[in-house]
Amino acid sequence: MLIEVLDLSFVYMPGTPFEVKALRNVNMKIKSGQFVGIIGQTGSGKSTLIQHFNGLLQPSEGKVLVDGKEILRNSLALRYLRRRIVLLFQYPEHQLFEETVYEDIALGPKNLGLSGKEVDKRVWDAMRMVELDFSKYKDRPLFDLSGGEMRRVAIAGVLAMQPEVLILDEPAAGMDPEGRRAILGQIRRIHKEKGLTLILVSHNMDEVSRLADSLFVMYEGEIVLSGSPAVIFGGYSRLEQYGLTLPTMTELMHRLKERGCSVRTDVFTASEVRQELLALSRKGDCKSV
Amino acid sequence: MDNPITKDMGRAILAQELICTRRLRFEYQRKQRDPVVALNGIDLTVHAGEFLVIIGPNGSGKSTLLKHFNALLVPTSGDILVDRLSTAEERNHWYIRQRCGMVFENPDNQIVASTVEEDVAFGLENLGIPAVEIRRRVKEALAMVGMEKFSQHAPHLLSGGQKQCVAIAGILAMRPVCLLLDEPTAMLDPCGKKEVSRIVKKINREEKITVIWATHFMEEAVTADRVVVLSEGRIAMEGSPQEIFANPEELHALKLEGPPIAELVWQLRTEGMALPPGILTVDELVSVLC
Ligand SMILES: Nc1ncnc2c1ncn2[C@@H]1O[C@H](COP(=O)(O)OP(=O)(O)OP(=O)(O)O)[C@@H](O)[C@H]1O
Ligand SMILES: Nc1ncnc2c1ncn2[C@@H]1O[C@H](COP(=O)(O)OP(=O)(O)OP(=O)(O)O)[C@@H](O)[C@H]1O
Ligand SMILES: [Mg+2]
Ligand SMILES: [Mg+2]
């Protein structure tokens, strides 16, 4: 599915003293099968923007096209759209409705009209992907769970829908390090194998730089930068003014370069950095040999 | 008997051990099912003025433990003393909660008022602080987290990170003796995370405020005085950040990871590069390398 955003502006509470211009003239295009990252300061408009992609919010100005057609406001069309473009909220605790873990994850697949057996399989698969033990957790009431456990249930819920486009708003916040690595890995695997289009909103520069093919940087309701991670994080000095930092590994390389070591700066992962540093130490180009 | 000197000495001793737990066990009771054992024999002493970070996988008991520190939960068995008062006695709760203030994992659970300003002032009003002083403190706290512009806004209509900033401002305005922070920066942008770390560290140093901080961001643990690792309701590891992050293998077995730089350094060391142990940050690694 192709999502096109044309001159989109959005105002909360227009005409009141608390009016907030949350989006200003946003233009972007997300192609089918892409893995897109959206980053930007607290309050820059990320959550507002993505809620336009499946019609949860309607533009104040401009439009959003899905496969070339403007999102219709009638409820039947929206319901259909939200089966294909699924959004996980930033605080998914508010998105949990059912009594137990199983029922909550099963809700989406049931609404798709799947058979009981198929629903069962979807729930089982989704729980495995988010590393929640099926028999241990399936009957647990939702509000008895720890923060991270609840978040896993919410992620399982959207995965079980098997959408064409998955929008995740800070999915890994509150998750333990192993959990976040595993779950983001699973999501990436589905993206690669099934061509799932992914839109990831994240404050974790280490993760987005590793995962996304292309990034959009938001600042005060506008898209101020876009491009591949290499392009975005190559422009070192600009990022801080937008409330962002470099990925840890990239920052390390920039800092070494400033000190005169000849290293690459277009790297994001620890394994790339390891190669660089080992080569450096073999050349005797740094203090520690 | 009421000699001011011994009374003062009493205070000095009191200041040493702010929180002390002994064989603390906590079970969440459930209808018609076995209880969930969330904490299972916690022996922990937190010293006044300490900066303690608690890490541990999801469901390991971090939030449950923090809720014992301000008497929101009381042990199923075992003891806990906060400022030498047992939380088992309800008449101590008010005093304990004035001493230990909490930022909850989900900021929505903390919103009490209809404007940001009133929300931050809420805790202060209950303390009987004069109105002028309240206004000063609220303004200062909102400025610290960069939210002054939003003072008249409705807290439940803010962005995720902004809500978290308001919750942090609330506790900064209160200045309790002890800050209990449950993943307070989970939704903040990278600069915001650093800034909150810096502010909390500063008031810990300068005002000797005790900090107990639960987190999944290992970067937030590197400047702690001590790190406690929880696993399945028990203390699995305890030590300085350098000790805890020296050997990631032990952490990996507990479903955790060290800070990215610590993990990198450990790998480089296993591949034969002569790096000293205890490097946890970019700054430290850069200064060792060139
Ligand atoms: N329901 C709402 N009513 C009024 N204003 C809102 C509402 N939701 C968000 N805002 C405001 O709109 C702006 C953009 O908010 P948004 O939630 O899109 O930011 P964000 O980039 O997702 O931030 P964060 O990283 O903190 O989640 C902020 O200034 C926020 O205060
Ligand atoms: N109200 C409750 N009723 C029953 N069990 C609960 C309740 N709250 C938490 N638990 C269980 O107690 C255990 C500890 O939960 P706790 O919230 O303390 O974990 P945590 O370390 O804070 O996890 P996270 O990193 O996910 O926030 C978990 O197994 C959780 O499922
Ligand atoms: Mg948001
Ligand atoms: Mg918790």
Side-chain angles (χ1 to χ4, degrees):
Chain A
M1 286 177 109
L2 171 70
I3 299 176
E4 286 167 288
V5 177
L6 302 172
D7 295 322
L8 170 64
S9 295
F10 185 80
V11 185
Y12 284 107
M13 297 183 282
T16 73
F18 304 114
E19 173 176 299
V20 178
K21 290 201 173 69
L23 298 175
R24 303 161 196 260
N25 248 310
V26 173
N27 285 286
M28 66 196 298
K29 195 185 270 186
I30 298 169
K31 292 195 208 107
S32 185
Q34 264 194 312
F35 192 149
V36 165
I38 301 178
I39 56 181
Q41 213 175 33
T42 289
S44 58
K46 303 178 297 295
S47 299
T48 307
L49 174 64
I50 57 170
Q51 289 177 65
H52 282 82
F53 296 165
N54 68 350
L56 284 168
L57 292 177
Q58 308 285 347
S60 303
E61 281 170 52
K63 50 187 153 184
V64 178
L65 306 181
V66 174
D67 282 339
K69 290 198 219 71
E70 198 164 346
I71 295 179
L72 294 174
R73 296 183 187 208
N74 82 61
S75 58
L76 195 69
L78 281 177
R79 216 163 79 204
Y80 185 63
L81 184 73
R82 287 180 199 148
R83 291 176 181 182
R84 305 171 66 203
I85 306 183
V86 167
L87 185 147
L88 176 75
F89 281 102
Q90 189 165 9
Y91 283 102
E93 292 82 344
H94 307 310
Q95 216 171 355
L96 304 173
F97 300 110
E98 296 295 318
E99 282 275 301
T100 68
V101 168
Y102 182 94
E103 289 165 34
D104 193 79
I105 301 171
L107 189 65
K110 272 188 191 151
N111 284 342
L112 295 177
L114 300 173
S115 72
K117 213 171 137 205
E118 180 64 12
V119 170
D120 221 45
K121 185 176 170 335
R122 292 263 185 116
V123 175
W124 195 90
D125 280 343
M127 285 182 70
R128 187 180 44 80
M129 282 192 269
V130 300
E131 301 189 325
L132 283 176
D133 185 85
F134 186 76
S135 53
K136 184 172 164 200
Y137 282 96
K138 72 175 170 49
D139 296 323
R140 290 276 303 266
L142 288 173
F143 293 97
D144 286 6
L145 299 176
S146 81
E149 288 165 343
M150 229 185 262
R151 199 159 275 272
R152 287 169 194 248
V153 173
I155 296 175
V158 295
L159 289 175
M161 302 268 294
Q162 299 190 355
E164 289 168 53
V165 179
L166 184 55
I167 309 169
L168 302 167
D169 197 349
E170 295 285 354
M175 209 102 79
D176 61 49
E178 202 246 11
R180 56 195 302 153
R181 191 176 286 277
I183 289 168
L184 290 171
Q186 290 286 357
I187 290 169
R188 178 142 106 150
R189 188 181 55 77
I190 305 171
H191 158 75
K192 287 255 189 288
E193 288 174 6
K194 305 229 169 99
L196 170 72
T197 308
L198 271 168
I199 302 169
L200 173 69
V201 176
S202 173
H203 284 309
N204 191 317
M205 300 303 125
D206 293 1
E207 275 165 13
V208 283
S209 63
R210 246 184 330 108
L211 294 169
D213 325 314
S214 87
L215 297 175
F216 293 93
V217 179
M218 296 201 67
Y219 183 70
E220 296 189 346
E222 291 179 52
I223 290 181
V224 288
L225 290 172
S226 63
S228 67
V231 168
I232 300 294
F233 295 115
Y236 189 19
S237 55
R238 279 177 303 180
L239 284 173
E240 209 155 306
Q241 86 189 66
Y242 300 134
L244 301 177
T245 54
L246 292 174
T248 313
M249 295 301 143
T250 322
E251 187 191 343
L252 173 67
M253 300 311 257
H254 273 284
R255 297 279 300 282
L256 289 172
K257 191 161 189 169
E258 277 168 19
R259 296 249 190 149
C261 298
S262 58
V263 288
R264 283 168 52 196
T265 53
D266 57 342
V267 292
F268 308 114
T269 66
S271 62
E272 292 169 301
V273 168
R274 210 168 68 225
Q275 299 311 322
E276 285 287 300
L277 292 185
L278 288 170
L280 202 65
S281 95
R282 258 180 254 119
K283 278 191 291 182
D285 197 15
C286 59
K287 272 200 305 204
S288 154
V289 272
Chain B
M1 285 290 263
D2 225 347
N3 178 328
I5 296 175
T6 51
K7 222 170 140 191
D8 251 36
M9 285 172 60
R11 289 199 126 223
I13 295 165
L14 170 151
Q16 294 263 312
E17 294 186 355
L18 185 66
I19 294 171
C20 189
T21 77
R22 212 175 40 97
R23 278 187 262 149
L24 189 162
R25 179 182 173 88
F26 183 78
E27 297 171 359
Y28 286 101
Q29 302 302 327
R30 299 190 292 176
K31 278 185 232 123
Q32 294 155 14
R33 310 184 69 204
D34 291 340
V36 176
V37 181
L39 296 172
N40 190 358
I42 301 284
D43 288 301
L44 179 67
T45 300
V46 184
H47 299 277
E50 190 172 0
F51 196 120
L52 178 72
V53 166
I54 302 177
I55 60 177
N58 292 138
S60 58
K62 301 178 297 298
S63 300
T64 306
L65 185 58
L66 285 182
K67 286 176 188 160
H68 278 80
F69 297 161
N70 73 345
L72 285 174
L73 294 175
V74 294
T76 307
S77 67
D79 304 300
I80 170 165
L81 298 180
V82 180
D83 216 356
R84 293 207 294 190
L85 296 174
S86 167
T87 65
E89 305 205 22
E90 227 177 289
R91 64 191 153 93
N92 294 334
H93 287 188
W94 191 84
Y95 176 80
I96 288 170
R97 288 183 196 141
Q98 301 318 308
R99 311 284 283 169
C100 298
M102 175 117 134
V103 172
F104 290 91
E105 196 170 337
N106 186 335
D108 284 312
N109 298 343
Q110 203 149 6
I111 294 172
V112 289
S114 57
T115 72
V116 165
E117 192 177 68
E118 286 167 26
D119 201 77
V120 174
F122 181 77
L124 299 174
E125 278 157 5
N126 284 345
L127 294 177
I129 293 171
V132 186
E133 171 67 4
I134 292 183
R135 270 200 298 280
R136 191 191 65 74
R137 285 213 218 168
V138 168
K139 219 174 140 194
E140 182 193 63
L142 284 174
M144 284 172 100
V145 297
M147 288 293 291
E148 7 12 351
K149 276 199 309 215
F150 291 87
S151 67
Q152 299 309 315
H153 283 242
H156 64 282
L157 298 181
L158 295 173
S159 81
Q162 288 168 340
K163 283 180 190 171
Q164 228 164 12
C165 287
V166 171
I168 294 167
I171 205 160
L172 291 175
M174 243 177 104
R175 290 292 158 98
V177 170
C178 176
L179 303 185
L180 307 173
L181 307 172
D182 197 355
E183 303 185 36
T185 69
M187 291 295 175
L188 299 187
D189 60 55
C191 290
K193 280 194 177 70
K194 283 190 183 166
E195 184 59 11
V196 169
S197 277
R198 194 189 62 78
I199 294 168
V200 171
K201 191 79 201 168
K202 183 163 179 265
I203 64 173
N204 166 257
R205 285 248 173 79
E206 293 176 0
E207 300 173 30
K208 307 278 178 284
I209 286 178
T210 310
V211 176
I212 306 175
W213 181 320
T215 186
H216 290 299
F217 291 99
M218 301 305 148
E219 289 91 335
E220 295 175 346
V222 301
T223 60
D225 296 320
R226 184 160 56 122
V227 179
V228 163
V229 185
L230 288 186
S231 171
E232 298 180 353
R234 297 172 192 271
I235 295 180
M237 294 169 77
E238 189 180 346
S240 70
Q242 286 71 20
E243 288 165 348
I244 297 294
F245 298 127
N247 177 3
E249 277 175 331
E250 206 175 336
L251 286 173
H252 294 174
L254 297 169
K255 299 193 165 201
L256 297 171
E257 284 176 12
I261 294 294
E263 296 272 336
L264 174 70
V265 167
W266 182 74
Q267 294 237 345
L268 290 169
R269 277 163 59 93
T270 52
E271 290 185 52
M273 209 161 148
L275 291 166
I279 298 172
L280 303 180
T281 64
V282 169
D283 283 346
E284 288 164 358
L285 182 53
V286 168
S287 65
V288 177
L289 285 176
C290 34

